[in-house]
Amino acid sequence: MLEELKKTTERRELKLVLANPGAEVMKKLNKSKFLENIGQEWIYLTVGEAVEACNYKLHTCKPEESQPWNNV
């Protein structure tokens, strides 16, 4: 399901970000290699941290850079 969600977000030029995953969820994501797919830099301990990081990346990205997360 997460693989399909990631594909859908990428098609829409969005970035999939995980916030507040529990220990068991992290174990399963790691075991399934999905953490490697999404990237550790897109996983945050709290929703607030995720929002702050995405907001920062959105506003510090140069307009000529084409990043999936700059179209939010």
Side-chain angles (χ1 to χ4, degrees):
M1 180 199 75
L2 289 175
E3 292 290 343
E4 188 61 34
L5 179 61
K6 186 172 185 298
K7 289 177 188 176
T8 301
T9 57
E10 287 174 347
R11 278 195 302 269
R12 295 179 180 181
E13 296 184 348
L14 299 171
K15 187 67 184 169
L16 181 62
V17 177
L18 297 179
N20 197 21
E24 287 300 314
V25 170
M26 288 299 290
K27 285 179 189 176
K28 290 178 181 182
L29 291 173
N30 193 33
K31 187 175 181 179
S32 70
K33 305 294 185 200
F34 189 74
L35 287 181
E36 293 173 7
N37 190 347
I38 191 173
Q40 289 281 345
E41 68 274 15
W42 296 106
I43 300 175
Y44 298 92
L45 295 177
T46 68
V47 173
E49 287 177 358
V51 170
E52 186 177 323
C54 290
N55 192 38
Y56 174 80
K57 289 176 183 183
L58 177 66
H59 293 291
T60 59
C61 179
K62 295 179 183 175
E64 63 270 6
E65 291 179 356
S66 178
Q67 296 290 334
W69 40 264
N70 71 354
N71 294 324
V72 177

